[in-house]
Amino acid sequence: DDAHTARVASLWHEMHDRFGIPLGYSGALPHITFHLGTHDVETGAETVGQAVAAATPPFAITTAGLGIFGGPTPVLHLMVARSPEVANLAQTLTARLAAAGFPSTDPYFAADKWIPHITIAHGNLVGRDLAPLLAWLVVQPLAWEIPLHSLSIARETPDGVEVLATFPLGG
């Protein structure tokens, strides 16, 4: 929703202003990725996304603190509780897309490995001292309840994200 999109954007800007963390690519949109595939932008995938959205009632997600995916390019994120609704949407979408010929192309997005999250830093933390940033973030109010009312198909572009289609949950 708009309020939580603004809260994530505010975090990005405060991280930049307080700690010099680059804002990353322009046009970034706060989101949860439920499925990741190289052919998800094709017409058939849009039909599946629309059908899954129509059959899924709106629900709320809950952020559950701060997380880090480690490695040479760390990802800092808000963890999202894997509620039955979140897990069901991910599993249904992945199964229906795979059956239609649009399987996930990223092993981290397989149903048994997927960790729902909202990225707050990625590709802009290399070489940074994360201790002061993390000390600040852990005292921020990051336990949010966020209503989910739609499902979108998007693709990453060199300048950000292009939303190709958005479908309301519950029809």
Side-chain angles (χ1 to χ4, degrees):
D1 68 346
D2 291 339
H4 291 91
T5 296
R7 288 177 89 172
V8 172
S10 177
L11 276 176
W12 289 342
H13 287 282
E14 283 197 61
M15 290 166 48
H16 176 265
D17 294 345
R18 291 174 182 262
F19 305 99
I21 304 297
L23 291 175
Y25 58 89
S26 63
L29 296 173
H31 67 280
I32 300 170
T33 301
F34 283 91
H35 184 269
L36 188 63
T38 56
H39 301 288
D40 293 352
V41 299
E42 295 179 15
T43 304
E46 186 174 313
T47 302
V48 172
Q50 185 174 21
V52 170
T56 303
F59 61 95
I61 62 163
T62 303
T63 56
L66 189 63
I68 300 175
F69 298 130
T73 307
V75 177
L76 192 56
H77 63 272
L78 301 177
M79 296 184 300
V80 172
R82 193 174 175 133
S83 68
E85 295 86 358
V86 168
N88 185 52
L89 177 54
Q91 187 172 25
T92 300
L93 190 60
T94 297
R96 297 274 308 272
L97 284 166
F102 308 103
S104 178
T105 54
D106 186 315
Y108 291 115
F109 285 85
D112 61 337
K113 293 182 177 75
W114 175 70
I115 299 173
H117 65 280
I118 300 169
T119 299
I120 58 173
H122 177 240
N124 55 354
L125 297 175
V126 175
R128 302 276 173 180
D129 179 6
L130 297 183
L133 172 63
L134 295 175
W136 175 76
L137 281 168
V138 298
V139 297
Q140 300 307 304
L142 300 177
W144 305 339
E145 186 168 307
I146 305 171
L148 235 60
H149 296 287
S150 63
L151 179 67
S152 296
I153 296 176
R155 68 177 171 153
E156 192 171 342
T157 68
D159 298 323
V161 175
E162 178 184 7
V163 177
L164 303 171
T166 298
F167 312 108
L169 294 184

